[in-house]
């Protein structure tokens, strides 16, 4: 079975010279379909950087990042966006809900961006699965921290991604 994610000798550096920060150095990782992987370490150890590379939000300075058999280094910005829309779900540490959208609109957004039919019905079902069927029309400012997190989880799952990343999900 082909892996859903591979990192091959992946590096990520920021800055240059005396200000260079090495966030990742020579990371190798293979994730099989259905496999659960937890990345743990102290603050500043590169966990979020690793997730950003694997999720196509950032590019490696060296090495390869392969998602579903596609080397992300060769993708244009539009290709990366398509990869994230179709293959990757991300639960961000800060949730990244859009404050001007209701809970259902936040969950519908990735479906609408990809032209998925019945976006509202699918979003409603995803919110029901996380126990928020009574909070569909509420804005993020009207939700508790736990409710916001569940909206973010529903948004990450609603597209049926082959990869799901969670940055500090609890």
């Amino acid at each position: 079975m082909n892996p859903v994610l591979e990192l091959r000798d992946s590096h990520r550096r920021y800055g240059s010279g005396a200000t260079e920060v090495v966030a990742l150095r020579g990371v190798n990782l293979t994730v099989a379909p259905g496999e659960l992987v937890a990345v743990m370490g102290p603050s500043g150890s590169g966990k979020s950087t690793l997730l950003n590379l694997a999720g196509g939000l950032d590019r490696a300075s060296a090495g390869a990042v392969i998602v579903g058999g596609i080397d992300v280094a060769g993708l244009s910005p539009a290709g990366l966006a398509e990869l994230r829309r179709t293959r990757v779900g991300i639960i961000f540490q800060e949730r990244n809900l859009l404050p001007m959208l209701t809970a259902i609109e936040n969950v519908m957004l990735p479906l609408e961006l990809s032209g998925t039919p019945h976006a509202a019905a699918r979003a409603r079902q995803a919110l029901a699965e996380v126990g928020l069927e009574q909070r569909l029309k509420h804005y993020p400012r009207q939700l508790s921290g736990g409710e916001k997190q569940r909206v973010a989880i529903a948004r990450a799952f609603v597209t049926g991604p082959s990869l799901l990343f969670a940055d500090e999900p609890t």
Side-chain angles (χ1 to χ4, degrees), residues 106-108 110-111 116 119 122-124 126 153-161:
N106 265 286
V107 176
M108 285 171 56
L111 297 170
T116 303
R122 289 183 62 178
R124 188 175 294 108
I153 290 167
R155 182 183 57 196
F157 274 104
V158 75
T159 60

Side-chain angles (χ1 to χ4, degrees), residues 54-136:
L57 295 170
D58 196 4
R59 295 201 188 249
S61 303
V65 177
I66 301 164
V67 176
I70 300 167
D71 187 342
V72 301
L75 294 177
S76 66
L80 283 170
E82 176 69 16
L83 179 91
R84 288 188 300 268
R85 268 195 313 273
T86 59
R87 297 177 186 246
V88 176
I90 302 173
I91 304 166
F92 294 97
Q93 187 173 2
E94 298 299 323
R95 299 180 194 100
N96 290 1
L97 299 178
L98 296 174
M100 71 295 276
L101 299 180
T102 63
I104 194 166
E105 291 167 340
N106 265 286
V107 176
M108 285 171 56
L109 186 60
L111 297 170
E112 290 178 331
L113 289 173
S114 63
T116 303
H118 313 294
R122 289 183 62 178
R124 188 175 294 108
Q125 177 61 37
L127 285 165
E129 288 175 12
V130 296
L132 291 178
E133 58 270 14
Q134 303 302 316
R135 308 288 274 169
L136 303 178

Side-chain angles (χ1 to χ4, degrees), residues 19-49:
T19 62
E20 182 178 72
V21 173
V22 178
L24 295 177
R25 181 180 294 125
V27 174
N28 291 292
L29 174 68
T30 302
V31 179
E35 186 174 10
L36 175 66
V37 176
V39 178
M40 301 180 344
S43 180
S45 64
K47 299 180 304 293
S48 293
T49 298

